[in-house]
Amino acid sequence: MNVHNIMEEYVTKCVNGFYDSLKEQNTPWLSCDCESCRLDACSFVLNRIPPRYIVSGRGVTHFDADVFFSQIQADINRLAMEGIRLVSSAKRSYHNQLKPPSTTIVSEMPMFNFPIFSGQVFDGAMFAPLSGATVVLKQGENLAEMHDMTWMNPSPTFAATSGHYTFWVAAQQASFEGETKTFQFTIEVSAEGYESTTYVFEVPLVAEKLDRSALNKAYSLKIQDLFLFTPDYEDTVISSMK
């Protein structure tokens, strides 16, 4: 059975239509209309509307005949313009580069495919998510290479994402299929006004002849929560106990 979210194709068509129109009109605020920017705008819209899943042509018919479709269409148009404006205002070094195709294919060479690393940084005194921190992922003495240019290393934390960070390490070649290897990584976290901290963890992997280019959030590794403290934290605690 093939389940399909029909909103994906509708939103993609809508966003591309707006981009083409804005580009034709030489809209001053449109900084870029590359594939990466268009995909980001589509994701912005799709994350803010309910999905509509179908499994047959009958589902398409019901979708087209939906009495609420006019309102859905209006919401998508509004969100599409909002998303395009936000994407155009964001400064990203990869904005004019193409993202690799999202596929899982058989590879000639066995590879170690890494899960997505995700974690959260907190203010140690307040136990609140910390924004404005810089999270660095290292493999050995060097920055760990990311899957593609859309994954940042170092990765900053923001209030809007509650201090969360993510990394997706690029696949590494193995000697043979089924080879087992344990990889060690170090996370370094720093923020202005706080003492830096580090965390070391290991990831055991088995080599496979698959090139996993498709984003799969289910294949992920949760890093333990990391806490940053101000330099005077211990003095503050001692004073409060007197």
Side-chain angles (χ1 to χ4, degrees), residues 3-86:
V3 180
H4 175 63
N5 179 13
I6 196 172
M7 301 306 293
E8 293 182 13
E9 59 190 53
Y10 185 82
V11 167
T12 299
K13 180 180 179 181
C14 178
V15 168
N16 283 332
F18 276 124
Y19 264 111
D20 293 342
S21 178
L22 291 168
K23 185 178 181 180
E24 184 178 348
Q25 298 171 24
N26 293 318
T27 305
W29 54 262
L30 185 67
S31 61
C32 179
D33 71 323
C34 71
E35 182 182 356
S36 289
C37 288
R38 291 179 182 230
L39 288 174
D40 285 344
C42 288
S43 296
F44 176 88
V45 179
L46 288 168
N47 283 329
R48 287 162 177 79
I49 61 172
R52 294 290 297 271
Y53 295 106
I54 62 171
V55 295
S56 66
R58 185 174 59 181
V60 176
T61 302
H62 281 287
F63 177 79
D64 289 341
D66 194 327
V67 294
F68 299 110
F69 181 69
S70 59
Q71 183 58 52
I72 295 173
Q73 188 175 29
D75 291 341
I76 290 175
N77 289 343
R78 174 181 57 81
L79 288 168
M81 285 302 299
E82 182 181 349
I84 292 172
R85 284 184 175 275
L86 286 173

Side-chain angles (χ1 to χ4, degrees), residues 138-142 184-186:
K138 288 187 174 181
Q139 187 175 7
E141 297 297 321
N142 302 316
Q184 186 178 85
F185 295 93
T186 301

Side-chain angles (χ1 to χ4, degrees), residues 193-210:
Y194 293 83
E195 294 185 335
S196 301
T197 190
T198 60
Y199 174 70
V200 179
F201 64 99
E202 294 183 337
V203 181
L205 294 177
V206 179
E208 54 186 352
K209 283 192 173 182
L210 286 178

Side-chain angles (χ1 to χ4, degrees), residues 35-36 39 97-103 147-150 168 213-214:
E35 182 182 356
S36 289
L39 288 174
Q97 302 179 40
L98 296 179
K99 295 182 180 180
S102 295
T103 55
H147 174 73
D148 63 42
M149 65 281 177
T150 65
W168 190 7
S213 297

Side-chain angles (χ1 to χ4, degrees), residues 212-228:
R212 297 183 182 273
S213 297
L215 178 62
N216 182 5
K217 190 62 174 68
Y219 185 44
S220 63
L221 174 66
K222 177 67 171 67
I223 306 300
Q224 71 172 38
D225 294 336
L226 301 176
F227 297 85
L228 294 189

Side-chain angles (χ1 to χ4, degrees), residues 156-196:
T157 64
F158 301 96
T161 52
S162 302
H164 283 89
Y165 63 88
T166 55
F167 296 105
W168 190 7
V169 177
Q172 298 180 22
Q173 186 173 324
S175 300
F176 54 89
E177 186 177 12
E179 179 185 3
T180 59
K181 185 175 180 179
T182 299
F183 296 84
Q184 186 178 85
F185 295 93
T186 301
I187 289 180
E188 299 177 352
V189 188
S190 60
E192 184 176 357
Y194 293 83
E195 294 185 335
S196 301

